[in-house]
Amino acid sequence: METTYNPQSIEQKWYQTWENNGYFTPQGESDAGNYCIMIPPPNVTGTLHMGHAFQDTIMDALTRYQRMRGKNTLWQPGTDHAGIATQMVVERQLAAQDKSRHDLGRDAFIDKVWEWKKQSGGTITQQLRRMGGSLDWENERFTMDEGLSDAVHKVFIQLYDEGLIYRGKRLVNWDPILHTALSDLEVISEEESGHLWHFRYPLSDGSGHLVVATTRPETMLGDTAVAVHPDDERYKHLIGKTITLPLVGRQIPIIADDYVDMEFGTGCVKITPAHDFNDYEMGQRHDLPMINILTVDACINDDAPQKYRGLDRYEVRDMVVHDLDELGLLDSIKEHKLMVPRGDRSGSVVEPYLTDQWYVKIAPLAEPAIKAVQDGSIKFVPENWSKTYFEWMNNIQDWCISRQIWWGHRIPAWYDEAGNVYVADNEAEVRKKYQLADDLTLTQDDDVLDTWFSSALWPFSTLGWPENTERLKQFYPTSVLVTGFDIIFFWVARMIMFGLKFMDDVPFKEIYIHGLVRDADGQKMSKSKGNVLDPIDIIDGIDLESLVKKRTTGLMQPKMAPKIEKATRKQYPDGIPAFGTDALRFTFAALATTGRDVVLAPDRIAGYRNFCNKIWNATRYVLMNTEDQDTGIDNQDCKYSLADRWILSRLQQVEDNIQKHFNGYRFDLAAQDLYSFVWEDYCDWYLELSKPVLMKDHFSESEKRGTRKTLVQVLETILRLNHPIMPFITEELWHSVAPLAGIKGDTIMQQPFPVSSDALKDADAEAELQWVKNFIMGIRRIRSESDIAPGKPLPVILQNASEQDKQRYEANESFIFTLAKLESISFLSNDEVAPESSTALVGEMKILIPLAGLIDKDAELTRLSKEIGKLEDNLGKSNAKLGNPGFVDKAPEAVVNKERERIAEMESALEKLKEQLEKISAL
RNA sequence: GGGUGAUUAGCUCAGUUGGUAGAGCGUCGCCCUUACAAGGCGAAUGUCGGGAGUUCAAAUCUCUCAUCACCCACCA
């Protein structure tokens, strides 16, 4: 074995072995039950980012844990076709050749996308393998594969037939670059600064004018009314009159509507029903005409005056302002902050636009979905997120599911020439279902479905639905959904609605919501900020030049490059070393506190890489001392030392804790327990305590055997406990350690997860070992604080030792001598006079180290005073507490007694230390 | 405007039913002690955001203020 842990040399090989042997595939019926997690399908042409890596670590840890617990376990892999995102990538590639998708035509373009999928679709799944993900690759799915397309059709058709999908002309969010409608969720509104223009609209009867305020002057070309509040004294008399719309000449009414806020602006609102969501509703209430003035590119169309036609809306905005000013109708311009809606993919300003679209009538689906969370059929972890869920579900709007793009599930609807709609699986089905003549010309709807429509079916479509497959029966409903809060609405809510509708059961019983991965400064990672860390670079390492290059190429704003380069060189002067997958995974686990964002700092990862190294070297020690030796597998004649009994007892507690923490999704606490048990209990104490037993001749063979056996058994258990989080190193080491523990197996993956045994819990051993530790630590402390060389063996005198102290000392002499580095020990009766010494206390017993030539008198005085000071502080606090009659009367007896004991201990210690102080001062 | 969460050691965060505050990283001192210097031993560090209340007892429960973050929303 190498002296240093090197992740590179072990990870790839084990993954190959696991996958080739089919260990990831569900192993079949089990008494322990079924366990299933659906991966949130990443974009098929995407690459793995930190968010994925974090999420996948959690899912894999859960999956491995449950698999080891003997459950029939499935982690379902797959990818999403990601309609708009993927189409955009391919269109960009075409654009580089000066082509558009229209040059190719629909079929050829779709072929091109499939080609791209074939070329890049393996990237993210390969990266998932690098993360160690134990996904059932043999059954990988894609949202556009045949089975899933069948599911999409079936759902669409059934919802249509039930009246839950309808087609309607409505105002939608229109992306003028992508030429498609977007759902509300795909529109991101951000505050930008703009202006508020005030215009005078002349009354048609020439009796004056009204002043309206707008942030969008160009839309005035489509105004069909001006609204005021019905109670507004300023304008009451004008209601019902008309104004003549400047530049257009149209007469439009002044209407009353209490939507208008009298306080805001002038209290008069221009109404453009075809280009504003509020105006649209007002238009409907007042039966106003809707005049669309925009083209699909958001240029002004032919329903506007000649001079503006064909020009971009922003160009027209300037013209309108200018023209109104010329007419003397520009009242004022004010600076104004407003929310600007942009498409989340294209970044273009989204226009409310009147088009025909398909919608899901959502209220009837939402109702049971709300109930499922209310009644606990589905639990959010942390529970708080249910509030967010309810908030949204209670205000949910119909879902616009049609997109005017080509890459996706084409809507299974056909039209005849009269415009009648027929919905069925295919054209032949349509004719049959609707009994249409063979010669009736039908054309299919050009639109495709929102990507999230097929994602919403993921928990059952991947298992074979609509077929009633064995997998579906076994794994639906799935156990838990692991996802980020950002897609609760996009995805989680919709899966719940569709799952309940089509499977008549919830899609998952729990939803574990994790936080966002941020950089070391707490910033969101983003390409444009240049602070992105690639999980693969953490695993394999990356040199500075490559990292700089990676961060500065392909930027949306190339001028940011120098700044990013500078920051990167400063933060990673030596690049990033290869930490390995296990270290990254353990870091994620340790940081996965409930619902909090995760701040990922390379220092932290390095710390857990060191932890891997610790396990590696502990194993080296154990192997060195047990290989080719009797580890008590066939020989039951083992005598267990205090240390053996203690570490086994501690191990049982840790096993209980880890189970509890995994079951409660507290990976941070699990990681913490694993870390401290392995490092502090097992390595710092137990391995050191094993040394005298194994190396000193006066220990019997059965004692040595007992210690060897314990060393190996505890280490083997540690490896299994750590396996869900650190799969590679544990597998690698397990193959060396397990045989020594008499365990045979092809892989640690299929070994049982450790379960505690009450018989091995040993409170006496823990108490006694604590005494030993206190003894040793007391001496170490004196040594360190008195500047005695660590290697110098010390003479020690014990005074005031009880019978128990004596017994404990005798039983553990070897431990104490070795770990505290002693030269000699002698007992002193109470009436004997001790030499001038430095003192440590273990309970009532005094540990004395004679000063003689070793310890400086003043240093000892300082040390003692400090300790006395501390004790006095605490004693003061405790006395005050007991002095309070309320405390003694009302606090539980146990608490009061504990306080009394504490005081007794402190008083006794204080007395001894003061005595000592006097003695030494007197020298 | 509505909602949610946060504020604890220099940094990032734990803190389970109220009972004298913990970890990792960092810092300081001494050590290459035969598993590990990616290490060992030891040490320091907190008016638990401010204020008020409930209680014998509050980081923990209630109210209030402040600051920050995120989500949702139609103020022209």
Side-chain angles (χ1 to χ4, degrees):
Chain A
M1 254 180 108
E2 295 180 34
T3 55
T4 305
Y5 156 70
N6 176 13
Q8 308 284 347
S9 62
I10 58 172
E11 297 186 349
Q12 298 297 304
K13 123 188 136 183
W14 284 117
Y15 199 88
Q16 288 296 323
T17 308
W18 295 332
E19 189 172 354
N20 293 342
N21 285 299
Y23 296 155
F24 301 155
T25 301
Q27 306 289 308
E29 285 290 319
S30 162
D31 294 341
N34 300 309
Y35 189 84
C36 177
I37 299 180
M38 292 285 160
I39 197 169
N43 181 345
V44 65
T45 63
T47 53
L48 194 83
H49 58 62
M50 276 300 172
H52 293 128
F54 178 36
Q55 190 173 67
D56 294 334
T57 296
I58 289 166
M59 285 186 281
D60 194 48
L62 288 168
T63 301
R64 286 177 183 273
Y65 167 64
Q66 298 292 354
R67 193 185 285 122
M68 289 176 81
R69 291 177 88 198
K71 293 199 183 179
N72 181 34
T73 302
L74 167 65
W75 183 14
Q76 172 67 48
T79 50
D80 192 276
H81 67 280
I84 293 177
T86 307
Q87 172 161 333
M88 271 178 75
V89 172
V90 176
E91 284 193 281
R92 219 175 285 141
Q93 289 168 357
L94 287 176
Q97 306 163 31
D98 276 329
K99 284 193 209 155
S100 81
R101 64 176 154 136
H102 300 280
D103 296 331
L104 273 85
R106 184 164 189 146
D107 290 343
F109 178 78
I110 289 175
D111 286 345
K112 260 261 179 308
V113 183
W114 278 106
E115 217 173 276
W116 168 242
K117 186 242 168 192
K118 212 168 147 190
Q119 187 190 325
S120 71
T123 306
I124 197 154
T125 51
Q126 282 310 320
Q127 290 174 318
L128 261 161
R129 288 174 166 91
R130 290 301 313 277
M131 287 302 299
S134 57
L135 296 117
D136 181 15
W137 295 113
E138 283 173 40
N139 292 291
E140 184 181 347
R141 304 305 298 265
F142 175 52
T143 49
M144 291 244 296
D145 68 27
E146 217 173 297
L148 270 64
S149 297
D150 287 349
V152 166
H153 274 203
K154 184 173 160 75
V155 166
F156 186 93
I157 293 162
Q158 186 180 330
L159 289 176
Y160 178 80
D161 289 342
E162 289 181 22
L164 291 172
I165 281 183
Y166 63 92
R167 188 171 155 79
K169 198 181 205 72
R170 294 258 200 105
L171 210 52
V172 296
N173 304 297
W174 184 260
D175 187 317
I177 290 183
L178 297 173
H179 292 181
T180 182
L182 300 175
S183 74
D184 295 345
L185 291 172
E186 291 163 294
V187 178
I188 311 295
S189 290
E190 271 179 11
E191 193 176 83
E192 293 180 18
S193 42
H195 301 278
L196 190 60
W197 287 270
H198 288 73
F199 297 131
R200 298 190 193 100
Y201 277 10
L203 292 159
S204 302
D205 60 11
S207 63
H209 59 258
L210 283 177
V211 177
V212 298
T214 181
T215 55
R216 305 209 46 197
E218 70 280 8
T219 62
M220 62 86 63
L221 300 172
D223 283 358
T224 55
V226 169
V228 297
H229 195 278
D231 302 333
D232 194 330
E233 294 300 333
R234 293 170 295 179
Y235 307 118
K236 235 175 174 170
H237 62 289
L238 298 175
I239 296 165
K241 289 192 173 188
T242 63
I243 62 126
T244 304
L245 191 62
L247 306 179
V248 180
R250 185 163 57 234
Q251 292 219 349
I252 57 175
I254 297 167
I255 60 171
D257 194 295
D258 50 18
Y259 159 75
V260 178
D261 180 355
M262 288 188 277
E263 309 297 317
F264 189 87
T266 57
C268 301
V269 190
K270 61 187 272 308
I271 303 300
T272 321
H275 296 288
D276 182 282
F277 288 100
N278 291 313
D279 293 7
Y280 177 80
E281 285 185 10
M282 205 181 297
Q284 294 210 309
R285 283 200 291 276
H286 297 272
D287 209 16
L288 297 171
M290 310 212 175
I291 301 176
N292 174 29
I293 56 153
L294 292 178
T295 67
V296 291
D297 297 307
C299 290
I300 303 303
N301 71 10
D302 294 352
D303 288 328
Q306 182 74 44
K307 70 179 291 194
Y308 306 114
R309 292 177 191 173
L311 301 174
D312 183 81
R313 60 203 191 284
Y314 293 115
E315 199 176 329
V316 171
R317 174 178 298 181
D318 293 342
M319 290 169 71
V320 164
V321 172
H322 176 263
D323 293 349
L324 286 170
D325 191 19
E326 294 240 299
L327 293 169
L329 299 175
L330 177 61
D331 184 86
S332 64
I333 306 176
K334 290 183 178 121
E335 295 291 317
H336 187 68
K337 298 254 189 244
L338 70 162
M339 299 296 278
V340 178
R342 290 178 183 274
D344 62 351
R345 292 292 169 182
S346 69
S348 67
V349 176
V350 166
E351 290 293 338
Y353 194 59
L354 206 52
T355 54
D356 285 308
Q357 302 290 344
W358 291 92
Y359 293 89
V360 174
K361 192 176 183 181
I362 215 81
L365 296 169
E367 197 191 325
I370 292 169
K371 205 168 142 269
V373 175
Q374 273 169 347
D375 68 17
S377 311
I378 300 178
K379 280 204 251 338
F380 276 91
V381 179
E383 201 278 327
N384 270 333
W385 286 105
S386 58
K387 287 185 193 167
T388 307
Y389 173 81
F390 290 135
E391 189 70 18
W392 191 69
M393 291 297 276
N394 286 324
N395 297 295
I396 198 166
Q397 303 289 313
D398 283 1
W399 175 15
C400 175
I401 49 171
S402 44
R403 297 289 179 276
Q404 288 68 51
I405 58 172
W406 289 348
W407 176 240
H409 296 280
R410 193 159 172 185
I411 290 176
W414 279 260
Y415 305 94
D416 62 19
E417 278 163 353
N420 295 309
V421 187
Y422 308 103
V423 171
D425 221 13
N426 52 52
E427 198 175 320
E429 276 296 317
V430 165
R431 290 185 198 278
K432 210 167 114 195
K433 180 171 166 187
Y434 294 93
Q435 295 176 319
L436 303 177
D438 287 348
D439 58 350
L440 184 75
T441 310
L442 292 173
T443 44
Q444 190 177 358
D445 196 309
D446 280 329
D447 293 354
V448 302
L449 288 165
D450 181 2
T451 299
W452 296 102
F453 191 90
S454 53
S455 317
L457 317 180
W458 190 248
F460 47 97
S461 64
T462 50
L463 295 172
W465 190 89
E467 304 298 318
N468 191 16
T469 62
E470 194 54 33
R471 267 167 97 82
L472 190 61
K473 274 184 256 172
Q474 281 184 340
F475 295 116
Y476 194 97
T478 68
S479 308
V480 60
L481 177 76
V482 176
T483 191
F485 59 84
D486 48 332
I487 51 174
I488 290 181
F489 310 141
F490 273 107
W491 193 45
V492 179
R494 287 162 179 172
M495 280 192 286
I496 297 174
M497 291 190 278
F498 279 17
L500 287 167
K501 173 76 185 169
F502 291 94
M503 293 297 297
D504 208 21
D505 200 350
V506 296
F508 26 73
K509 292 163 205 146
E510 291 182 289
I511 307 169
Y512 174 81
I513 301 285
H514 64 251
L516 201 72
V517 181
R518 295 169 178 275
D519 76 358
D521 302 317
Q523 297 291 311
K524 254 188 211 175
M525 288 192 192
S526 73
K527 180 79 190 157
S528 59
K529 279 187 198 149
N531 62 348
V532 172
L533 287 173
D534 183 334
I536 302 300
D537 293 340
I538 299 282
I539 294 170
D540 291 337
I542 185 169
D543 64 81
L544 178 61
E545 297 313 319
S546 306
L547 182 62
V548 167
K549 194 172 164 214
K550 207 166 171 175
R551 284 183 165 188
T552 51
T553 44
L555 288 171
M556 296 279 261
Q557 296 174 284
K559 61 173 187 232
M560 292 295 289
K563 205 177 152 193
I564 290 171
E565 176 167 355
K566 202 178 154 197
T568 302
R569 286 184 187 281
K570 194 179 166 202
Q571 199 179 358
Y572 304 104
D574 305 313
I576 298 170
F579 292 121
T581 301
D582 287 327
L584 178 61
R585 288 175 57 124
F586 199 90
T587 309
F588 281 134
L591 294 175
T593 60
T594 47
R596 276 241 200 181
D597 285 353
V598 163
V599 176
L600 190 71
D603 283 351
R604 187 96 188 214
I605 307 168
Y608 293 120
R609 187 270 321 263
N610 296 353
F611 179 56
C612 295
N613 190 48
K614 194 76 184 174
I615 295 178
W616 184 266
N617 276 293
T619 304
R620 280 183 61 224
Y621 169 81
V622 172
L623 294 180
M624 276 176 189
N625 286 289
T626 55
E627 266 176 328
D628 306 320
Q629 308 230 30
D630 185 352
T631 51
I633 298 166
D634 303 316
N635 188 341
Q636 296 306 309
D637 176 23
C638 293
K639 197 169 168 217
Y640 294 104
S641 72
L642 170 66
D644 296 334
R645 283 178 283 126
W646 166 75
I647 194 71
L648 284 168
S649 179
R650 282 283 305 130
L651 178 63
Q652 309 313 308
Q653 294 168 10
V654 171
E655 287 170 358
D656 287 344
N657 287 346
I658 302 299
Q659 292 248 11
K660 188 178 82 190
H661 294 145
F662 268 118
N663 293 339
Y665 301 99
R666 290 304 304 267
F667 306 100
D668 57 328
L669 299 180
Q672 203 175 85
D673 277 356
L674 289 169
Y675 187 96
S676 68
F677 178 71
V678 170
W679 202 307
E680 290 159 24
D681 292 338
Y682 188 69
C683 293
D684 287 347
W685 284 103
Y686 181 67
L687 293 192
E688 293 307 319
L689 290 166
S690 76
K691 286 176 184 175
V693 180
L694 295 177
M695 291 168 195
K696 298 243 156 102
D697 292 338
H698 66 267
F699 284 93
S700 69
E701 185 48 36
S702 52
E703 284 173 309
K704 288 184 195 295
R705 194 180 298 118
T707 291
R708 280 192 216 111
K709 187 171 183 175
T710 308
L711 272 172
V712 167
Q713 278 185 343
V714 175
L715 178 59
E716 193 275 337
T717 310
I718 283 173
L719 294 174
R720 280 184 288 131
L721 280 172
N722 274 286
H723 179 75
I725 300 179
M726 303 196 294
F728 293 113
I729 188 175
T730 50
E731 178 78 290
E732 172 75 14
L733 298 177
W734 187 80
H735 286 273
S736 306
V737 175
L740 296 167
I743 295 172
K744 292 194 182 73
D746 295 327
T747 174
I748 193 175
M749 274 184 67
Q750 294 178 337
Q751 292 297 311
F753 198 76
V755 179
S756 73
S757 142
D758 285 342
L760 290 173
K761 290 177 185 167
D762 187 340
D764 291 342
E766 294 199 30
E768 188 169 337
L769 197 100
Q770 189 56 50
W771 181 91
V772 173
K773 279 168 87 171
N774 287 345
F775 196 127
I776 295 166
M777 289 191 292
I779 292 169
R780 282 175 176 173
R781 197 163 168 187
I782 292 174
R783 190 191 283 278
S784 179
E785 287 177 356
S786 312
D787 270 334
I788 303 171
K792 166 126 185 113
L794 296 176
V796 165
I797 300 164
L798 300 179
Q799 197 173 33
N800 202 30
S802 66
E803 269 315 302
Q804 192 190 38
D805 289 330
K806 281 180 185 156
Q807 270 173 22
R808 282 176 167 175
Y809 169 74
E810 271 157 34
N812 300 292
E813 189 174 39
S814 282
F815 292 146
I816 292 168
F817 254 72
T818 312
L819 270 65
K821 279 244 164 56
L822 299 189
E823 179 189 79
S824 64
I825 282 220
S826 52
F827 283 87
L828 210 61
S829 62
N830 283 339
D831 47 0
E832 283 178 282
V833 181
E836 290 70 35
S837 302
S838 184
T839 313
L841 296 172
V842 178
E844 296 290 297
M845 183 175 73
K846 277 187 189 176
I847 300 175
L848 303 172
I849 297 173
L851 297 182
L854 277 175
I855 300 169
D856 177 61
K857 176 189 156 194
D858 290 334
E860 180 60 14
L861 286 175
T862 316
R863 206 181 68 83
L864 280 172
S865 314
K866 221 167 77 185
E867 210 154 322
I868 287 169
K870 252 194 230 168
L871 269 175
E872 281 177 336
D873 276 0
N874 287 334
L875 192 58
K877 276 185 211 162
S878 288
N879 276 328
K881 216 170 184 182
L882 271 180
N884 179 350
F887 176 70
V888 183
D889 291 348
K890 296 192 180 172
E893 209 179 313
V895 175
V896 177
N897 286 340
K898 205 169 144 197
E899 202 62 38
R900 290 206 167 106
E901 273 172 41
R902 207 177 274 151
I903 287 183
E905 277 169 30
M906 284 191 286
E907 277 175 344
S908 147
L910 197 56
E911 187 195 339
K912 293 190 179 68
L913 291 177
K914 277 184 171 165
E915 223 170 76
Q916 194 67 19
L917 186 73
E918 270 171 42
K919 238 179 176 175
I920 295 182
S921 322
L923 282 179

